[in-house]
């Protein structure tokens, strides 16, 4: 993590602490909705929190909620357990949880449920039976993307696997999906597996550290959250044969990567595919939590769509600002139509 990102992270935690300290005056008509976000150290999570906050502000301005609270963590289970315990004491009406672990926060979530608090875990979900899950089909879309890459390199060659946020449910599911695909390609060799923490700077450093000791790399399977940009930068800086032909790098929805890809495509016909979970889910999680408090009875498990960029629609995304993840926003109406109406 670079210095500016660290500053942003600490500032986010400070803001969250200030919000947490503010009184939350709930009422039956105007609930208090909280976000417990276990990890704040990458672009995807920043954008997710912004999506939650944008919808929460809108709801507060419209008089639908009394207040909202945002708590960002350092990735540890201990801190998230402490934060949720604090939210229980504050008697919030609902908590949206982007979990540090699929299982290790279940105990505190069960306590929240017993206190009458509605809990929605999302993105990195928790498996507590009482909570609602708003998830992505990490296994399905990662298998699809990995299959595309394997066919692109002709089913043979050397690859690097870049994992995501260590210990998270998405990392486990995506890595398992990639491994399942790789079993069908015996002529593909994994020459390195590193953790990129779904962060450009971490992924760049991880790739740069292993490249000098590796044979020529034909492709990189990654996880998203801006790791794609860091991977591309590492290969560009390494140079050598990669200056003429870059490996096929799985895109994870970073606008910087999309712009790099477009330039590479124009210069030398570079081709890849980008598929990513959408950080706009933060807004969907807010409205889902709100609707459940207000009496909605959705399915216990709901699946969000992913965003896909291909050579065919690449031009549609090249005008995105730098430093963002490809994502729509999700409104109250979208949640009603696409989540609550499906059982």
């Amino acid at each position: 993590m670079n210095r500016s990102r660290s500053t942003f992270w600490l500032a986010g935690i400070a803001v969250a602490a200030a919000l947490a300290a503010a009184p939350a005056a709930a009422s039956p008509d105007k609930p208090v909705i909280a976000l417990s976000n276990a990890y704040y150290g990458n672009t995807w999570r920043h954008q997710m929190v912004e999506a939650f906050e944008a919808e929460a502000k809108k709801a507060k301005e419209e008089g639908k909620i009394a207040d909202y609270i945002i708590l960002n963590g350092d990735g540890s289970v201990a801190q998230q357990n402490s934060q949720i315990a604090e939210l229980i004491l504050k008697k919030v009406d609902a908590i949206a949880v982007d979990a540090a672990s699929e299982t290790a926060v279940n105990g505190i979530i069960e306590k929240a449920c017993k206190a009458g608090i509605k809990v929605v875990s999302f993105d990195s979900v928790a498996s507590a039976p009482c909570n609602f899950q708003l998830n992505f089909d990490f296994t399905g879309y990662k298998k699809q993307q990995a299959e595309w890459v394997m066919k692109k390199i002709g089913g043979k060659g050397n690859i690097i696997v870049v994992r995501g946020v260590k210990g998270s449910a998405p990392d486990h599911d995506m890595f398992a999906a990639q491994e399942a695909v790789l079993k069908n390609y015996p002529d593909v060799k994994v020459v390195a597996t590193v953790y990129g923490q779904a962060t450009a700077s971490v992924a760049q450093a991880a790739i740069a550290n292993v490249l000098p000791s590796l044979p020529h790399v034909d492709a990189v399977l990654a996880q998203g959250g801006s790791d794609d940009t860091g991977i591309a930068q590492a290969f560009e800086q390494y140079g050598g044969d990669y200056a003429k032909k870059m490996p096929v790098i799985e895109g994870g929805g970073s606008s910087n990567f999309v712009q790099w890809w477009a330039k590479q495509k124009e210069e030398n016909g570079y081709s890849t595919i980008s598929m990513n979970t959408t950080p706009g889910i933060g807004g969907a999680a807010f409205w889902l939590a709100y609707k459940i408090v207000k009496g909605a009875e959705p399915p216990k498990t709901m699946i969000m769509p992913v965003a896909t960029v291909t050579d065919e629609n690449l031009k549609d995304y090249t005008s995105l600002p730098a430093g963002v993840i490809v994502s729509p926003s999700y409104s109250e109406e979208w949640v009603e139509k696409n989540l609550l109406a499906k059982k």
Side-chain angles (χ1 to χ4, degrees):
M1 183 185 302
N2 60 34
R3 183 176 178 182
S4 61
R5 181 61 76 194
S6 299
T7 303
F8 191 11
W9 185 7
L10 292 172
I13 294 174
V15 169
L19 284 169
S27 72
D29 293 330
K30 294 185 178 182
V32 174
I33 311 294
L35 168 64
S36 174
N37 172 42
Y39 181 68
Y40 196 56
N42 62 42
T43 301
W44 196 99
R45 291 295 182 104
H46 281 253
Q47 203 169 323
M48 179 277 291
V49 173
E50 289 166 1
F52 179 97
E53 186 169 23
E55 299 304 320
K57 280 184 175 179
K58 185 186 302 181
K60 188 174 180 179
E61 289 169 358
E62 294 173 352
K64 293 180 176 178
I65 63 170
D67 207 352
Y68 63 93
I69 297 171
I70 296 174
L71 297 176
N72 293 310
D74 60 6
S76 70
V77 168
Q79 187 179 56
Q80 187 163 50
N81 279 336
S82 176
Q83 289 175 345
I84 295 176
E86 179 183 350
L87 293 172
I88 294 171
L89 290 175
K90 287 183 177 295
K91 298 181 179 180
V92 301
D93 297 282
I95 308 172
V97 178
D98 203 336
S101 164
E102 188 172 7
T103 57
V105 295
N106 284 349
I108 195 67
I109 287 176
E110 290 288 354
K111 287 182 180 179
C113 293
K114 288 178 181 177
I117 298 169
K118 306 299 182 184
V119 179
V120 176
S121 64
F122 68 101
D123 174 46
S124 183
V125 297
S127 57
C130 71
N131 92 138
F132 295 87
Q133 294 183 346
L134 181 61
N135 208 354
F136 296 101
D137 182 9
F138 292 102
T139 300
Y141 95 82
K142 268 300 164 186
K143 281 185 176 180
Q144 182 182 346
Q145 192 173 18
E147 282 283 1
W148 189 97
V149 173
M150 293 303 99
K151 290 175 181 176
K152 188 68 179 178
I153 64 173
K156 60 183 179 180
N158 299 318
I159 71 165
I160 297 175
V161 175
V162 179
R163 299 189 64 168
V165 178
K166 190 176 293 187
S168 70
D171 169 67
H172 174 273
D173 292 347
M174 287 190 276
F175 181 63
Q178 291 165 338
E179 283 194 310
V181 171
L182 289 172
K183 287 179 181 177
N184 299 323
Y185 292 90
D187 293 328
V188 172
K189 182 179 180 181
V190 178
V191 293
T193 300
V194 300
Y195 276 94
Q197 290 294 113
T199 308
S201 58
V202 177
Q204 181 177 356
I207 295 294
N209 285 340
V210 298
L211 270 183
S213 63
L214 299 180
H216 182 82
V217 175
D218 300 288
V220 182
L221 301 185
Q223 287 201 11
S226 81
D227 63 4
D228 48 11
T229 300
I231 295 164
Q233 290 172 337
F235 278 97
E236 280 197 326
Q237 290 177 2
Y238 188 77
D241 292 341
Y242 302 119
K244 295 180 180 179
K245 186 178 181 181
M246 294 288 286
V248 179
I249 301 169
E250 274 192 345
S254 164
S255 61
N256 290 12
F257 180 80
V258 167
Q259 290 158 6
W260 173 86
W261 169 10
K263 183 180 178 182
Q264 289 284 319
K265 180 178 174 63
E266 183 178 349
E267 292 177 353
N268 54 41
Y270 186 81
S271 175
T272 188
I273 187 172
S274 174
M275 300 180 75
N276 67 281
T277 58
T278 53
I281 192 177
F286 168 82
W287 285 117
L288 181 59
Y290 170 79
K291 289 292 186 179
I292 293 171
V293 170
K294 300 297 284 186
E297 297 181 357
K300 273 293 185 177
T301 301
M302 292 152 279
I303 300 297
M304 293 288 290
V306 298
T308 302
V309 182
T310 65
D311 289 318
E312 287 69 35
N313 67 355
L314 178 60
K315 290 183 179 179
D316 296 340
Y317 298 95
T318 54
S319 60
L320 286 172
V324 302
I325 305 296
V326 174
S327 178
S329 58
Y330 300 106
S331 65
E332 181 179 10
E333 292 73 24
W334 188 93
V335 168
E336 289 173 348
K337 181 179 179 181
N338 294 279
L339 299 179
L340 300 181
K342 294 182 178 181
K343 288 191 178 182

